Amino acid sequence: MKVLVLGTLGAAALLAGCASTQTVLNGPVTETFHSQDSANKVAFCLANKNNTAALDQDNGSKVVLIKNGYGGVSMAFTVIPEGAGSRVEWRKKFGTIGGIWKQCVGLKASS
């Protein structure tokens, strides 16, 4: 019984520390990238490489969220149309994934 209670308390503590979508999106931009590719193309690439979906926003931008195994948002990408290309605002709460996403914004992916 003690193990179950401690396990439940531990899981609750982990979940309490997870970042919510709004917390990350309202946080400071970690880095901004500019791409010659359209916002649709960049958002599709980010979503596809991370097995998630791009969320359409009312202002025409797209948001791609990267979550950890507990459902907490570790990174958020806001892809904004900019002329014929796009601007990508990357917000990092904590790093839990590799660098495959860098290919989508024109950077060399880290191994």
Side-chain angles (χ1 to χ4, degrees):
M1 183 67 170
K2 282 184 180 180
V3 173
L4 178 61
V5 170
L6 290 176
T8 303
L9 290 175
L14 283 173
L15 288 175
C18 290
S20 73
T21 300
Q22 278 314 120
T23 299
V24 177
L25 288 175
N26 290 335
V29 174
T30 305
E31 194 166 350
T32 301
F33 304 98
H34 298 274
S35 175
Q36 294 180 1
D37 291 330
S38 71
N40 285 337
K41 186 173 181 178
V42 172
F44 174 81
C45 181
L46 288 166
N48 187 50
K49 291 202 180 291
N50 292 289
N51 199 30
T52 189
L55 309 168
D56 294 326
Q57 302 299 296
D58 290 339
N59 65 1
S61 68
K62 296 182 180 298
V63 172
V64 178
L65 304 172
I66 310 301
K67 297 182 177 186
N68 66 12
Y70 300 102
V73 178
S74 60
M75 297 185 198
F77 298 89
T78 304
V79 186
I80 304 158
E82 185 176 69
S86 58
R87 181 176 82 239
V88 181
E89 295 177 348
W90 172 44
R91 291 172 175 84
K92 179 179 177 183
K93 188 66 175 176
F94 53 90
T96 59
I97 63 169
I100 192 81
W101 63 268
K102 292 179 181 180
Q103 294 173 355
C104 301
V105 297
L107 299 176
K108 184 177 178 183
S110 59
S111 22

